[in-house]
Amino acid sequence: MPEMSEEKVAAVEGSSLAQINDIDIDDVIDYVHKDLKRLPGYLDLYRRYLRQRWDVFDIDFTRDVRDWSESMTQEERDAFVAISSGFHHGERQVEVELPVFMLGGSEESRIYMSSQIEDEARHTVFFDRFYREVVGLPGDSVQEVLDASFEHVSETFVGPFGLLAYQADELRADPDDLAARVRYGTTYFLWIEGVLALSVMKITLSYCRNRGFLPGYYAGFTATCRDEARHVQFGMRFLREAVQQDPRMLQEIHETLRTILMINGATSRRVMLEALGWSQEEVRRLMIRQLTMKLTDVGIGLPPDLERMISGIQPELAGG
Ligand SMILES: [Fe+2]
Ligand SMILES: [Fe+2]
């Protein structure tokens, strides 16, 4: 991948919420990968969080409401809701399942983790506002709006989110068990955030940008993607350090990836991606690229059976 220019990095890093509509989503995705070879320390990422934190109540959805009802077709709305509902539920799940990961690890890791939990809570509120104010789903509480969007979810939650719930339970028994942390980290930081979330971001945000629709969603979700850059960098650093500390952890990463790839594509219905300008094959290739780029940059090698499984990845759309 060509190096990002200094100006682009500065624009992605320093944009306020009001300036973020000028940022191209591809630059934010490049930014996720920019530091993977070097990988910033946990306190550097915490410091970046303090600078980049945004106020979810500052997002203005006025134009989005108009675009949603007047400019978008029913097909586009259906595809959009099918893709973003996995995120709506995914954000909530990780917000409540990250605290167990925060209990283990170094003090630096815990301090950083407090910021990621706050990010995920803010992302949950972002989707709550979007579904309430733009999609128009009913509900007095956050839970009621989640219940109202559940019928649109194509992710079955038997997949990576079910696996993560199981791994969080396992970690609860001993939050300092390194192998359990690595299994959890592979599912969450590498697959759910590094592959699924970034793919959904690329699909929905490039749709918004190409069509000039939904500026409130674009601002909030691009800021969310910048938060994800920190989450993925934390996760890749954690996995790399775990393998350096104990080479047997590489087996744990491989085993977890085997499980994930075995259940990959277990969705309840096919999302009509074509309405948003994407083919199934393009999404497959996007996911494969997101995964292999991270593994290569961080120096996690793969045995041939896993290479084969990766080349057979099927579209799956959720995130957190
Ligand atoms: Fe995240
Ligand atoms: Fe998130």
Side-chain angles (χ1 to χ4, degrees):
M1 190 180 62
E3 284 293 302
M4 264 183 105
S5 71
E6 289 299 316
E7 300 97 86
K8 277 192 175 168
V9 173
V12 173
E13 290 210 320
S15 288
S16 66
L17 201 53
Q19 298 162 326
I20 216 154
N21 283 78
D22 297 331
I23 306 272
D24 190 325
I25 179 59
D26 284 333
D27 290 339
V28 188
I29 289 179
D30 284 350
Y31 177 70
V32 174
H33 299 97
K34 178 184 85 72
D35 279 332
L36 281 186
K37 291 201 179 89
R38 194 172 53 86
L39 284 178
Y42 300 148
L43 287 185
D44 296 327
L45 290 171
Y46 179 68
R47 191 167 183 198
R48 209 188 273 176
Y49 155 83
L50 292 174
R51 286 199 306 264
Q52 294 179 342
R53 189 168 48 175
W54 46 284
D55 186 338
V56 62
F57 294 102
D58 278 348
I59 305 267
D60 179 1
F61 284 121
T62 322
R63 260 250 347 252
D64 298 52
V65 173
R66 239 187 13 246
D67 290 344
W68 189 262
S69 58
E70 293 169 17
S71 309
M72 289 171 68
T73 65
Q74 187 62 42
E75 255 194 325
E76 288 172 325
R77 282 192 293 262
D78 288 347
F80 204 93
V81 155
I83 294 183
S84 49
S85 297
F87 234 99
H88 186 205
H89 286 260
E91 296 286 10
R92 187 219 60 101
Q93 186 183 342
V94 297
E95 169 209 334
V96 300
E97 251 148 25
L98 272 179
V100 65
F101 191 87
M102 182 179 164
L103 295 176
S106 65
E107 287 310 319
E108 285 79 0
S109 157
R110 289 178 198 188
I111 289 166
Y112 162 80
M113 198 37 75
S114 74
S115 71
Q116 183 164 339
I117 293 169
E118 192 278 323
D119 277 335
E120 306 299 11
R122 183 157 21 85
H123 301 165
T124 305
V125 176
F126 170 71
F127 276 99
D128 180 69
R129 282 199 59 201
F130 178 74
Y131 274 96
R132 238 175 245 277
E133 297 172 41
V134 181
V135 182
L137 293 189
D140 290 329
S141 65
V142 172
Q143 185 60 56
E144 281 172 17
V145 176
L146 278 161
D147 290 345
S149 86
F150 192 69
E151 62 169 298
H152 302 289
V153 170
S154 61
E155 159 69 51
T156 55
F157 289 89
V158 173
F161 287 90
L163 181 63
L164 186 69
Y166 169 82
Q167 288 167 330
D169 262 352
E170 186 186 44
L171 196 52
R172 209 163 278 130
D174 179 4
D176 274 312
D177 176 344
L178 186 62
R181 284 170 67 75
V182 165
R183 292 192 286 269
Y184 177 107
T186 304
T187 303
Y188 182 41
F189 308 123
L190 178 59
W191 182 254
I192 293 179
E193 293 189 307
V195 179
L196 299 185
L198 289 180
S199 301
V200 170
M201 286 167 161
K202 167 94 177 143
I203 294 166
T204 58
L205 291 173
S206 47
Y207 163 80
C208 293
R209 196 173 172 86
N210 293 342
R211 304 293 298 272
F213 290 163
L214 309 177
Y217 181 93
Y218 189 87
F221 211 35
T222 303
T224 299
C225 187
R226 186 171 66 180
D227 296 339
E228 285 314 315
R230 277 182 267 109
H231 303 177
V232 171
Q233 289 174 8
F234 167 86
M236 294 308 99
R237 188 178 177 107
F238 161 71
L239 290 178
R240 193 175 68 183
E241 284 182 353
V243 174
Q244 281 164 355
Q245 191 185 326
D246 181 347
R248 285 174 307 178
M249 293 305 120
L250 189 58
Q251 291 326 105
E252 299 291 345
I253 296 174
H254 289 165
E255 271 305 312
T256 309
L257 271 177
R258 269 187 202 101
T259 306
I260 289 168
L261 293 169
M262 197 74 83
I263 55 181
N264 156 248
T267 49
S268 58
R269 71 180 83 110
R270 186 172 172 280
V271 177
M272 293 302 158
L273 292 157
E274 292 76 7
L276 300 182
W278 285 77
S279 71
Q280 304 286 326
E281 184 54 29
E282 282 168 329
V283 174
R284 253 174 47 68
R285 280 205 300 263
L286 174 64
M287 291 173 69
I288 292 171
R289 190 172 135 74
Q290 291 294 336
L291 179 59
T292 44
M293 204 158 42
K294 281 165 196 89
L295 293 170
T296 316
D297 281 1
V298 179
I300 297 175
L302 293 176
D305 73 304
L306 267 173
E307 301 263 14
R308 268 196 306 279
M309 289 178 91
I310 288 173
S311 64
I313 279 180
Q314 291 304 311
E316 188 178 319
L317 299 157

